[in-house]
Amino acid sequence: MFEISPSQLDAQRYRDAVEHQSCGALLVFEGIVRDNFDGRPVRGLEYQAYPELALKVMEQITAELHRTHPKARVAMAHRTGTLSLGEVSMVIAVATPHRAGCYDASRFLIEALKERLPVWKKELFADGDSHWKPNDPETPPGPGSA
């Protein structure tokens, strides 16, 4: 299950999608909007995405994971739109037969999504300032940035 959604994400839904009797380990990661960035107070975040490509990237990353963890069960989602402090921006659920593989798989998925997913984040600072933050140094800034 892979989703890019303007609606609130329910972590239980993604957990339920990966849970299976063959898996002895299950991890759910939730990325949550925090109140600061680079030492500055933040009032929220805005996310924009290229959904069709983002879903393909999620599939590609999962295919890469399956080369080393073929029994891993994966569900991922990322929010779009303006999010307030404390809201969930990303959910990654993974289940594997054993705990070590589950931790490895979860970390791989988190880092790969942060680096490659075509989702752009705009920091909305408490002082009214804002700026787009690229996923990594080689990713161009998000929509509408100079």
Side-chain angles (χ1 to χ4, degrees), residues 60-76:
Q60 291 168 349
I61 290 169
T62 300
E64 290 172 27
L65 173 71
H66 283 148
R67 290 185 204 128
T68 56
H69 297 82
K71 295 183 179 181
R73 299 172 57 85
V74 175
M76 297 183 276

Side-chain angles (χ1 to χ4, degrees), residues 36-56:
N36 66 86
F37 175 74
D38 253 1
R40 294 178 65 187
V42 170
R43 63 179 168 82
L45 297 174
E46 179 184 330
Y47 288 99
Q48 291 188 13
Y50 179 5
E52 296 83 5
L53 182 57
L55 295 171
K56 287 180 183 175

Side-chain angles (χ1 to χ4, degrees), residues 12-140:
Q12 185 65 45
R13 184 166 173 257
Y14 304 97
R15 183 191 192 287
D16 291 348
V18 301
E19 187 174 28
H20 193 269
Q21 290 180 345
S22 66
C23 296
L26 190 151
L27 290 170
V28 177
F29 171 83
E30 296 179 65
I32 300 170
V33 179
R34 65 179 179 268
D35 69 356
N36 66 86
F37 175 74
D38 253 1
R40 294 178 65 187
V42 170
R43 63 179 168 82
L45 297 174
E46 179 184 330
Y47 288 99
Q48 291 188 13
Y50 179 5
E52 296 83 5
L53 182 57
L55 295 171
K56 287 180 183 175
V57 168
M58 288 176 170
E59 291 171 7
Q60 291 168 349
I61 290 169
T62 300
E64 290 172 27
L65 173 71
H66 283 148
R67 290 185 204 128
T68 56
H69 297 82
K71 295 183 179 181
R73 299 172 57 85
V74 175
M76 297 183 276
H78 205 295
R79 279 284 303 272
T80 56
T82 303
L83 282 69
S84 300
L85 299 179
E87 285 192 83
V88 176
S89 60
M90 175 173 51
V91 175
I92 298 172
V94 61
T96 63
H98 304 285
R99 75 176 171 274
C102 200
Y103 279 109
D104 291 345
S106 180
R107 182 61 181 247
F108 171 81
L109 294 168
I110 292 165
E111 299 304 329
L113 283 182
K114 291 293 288 179
E115 182 179 313
R116 296 169 27 200
L117 197 65
V119 172
W120 298 275
K121 176 169 73 170
K122 186 184 213 180
E123 301 283 349
L124 305 174
F125 295 103
D127 64 7
D129 191 19
S130 65
H131 80 269
W132 289 101
K133 180 180 177 293
N135 288 353
D136 73 26
E138 296 186 20
T139 301

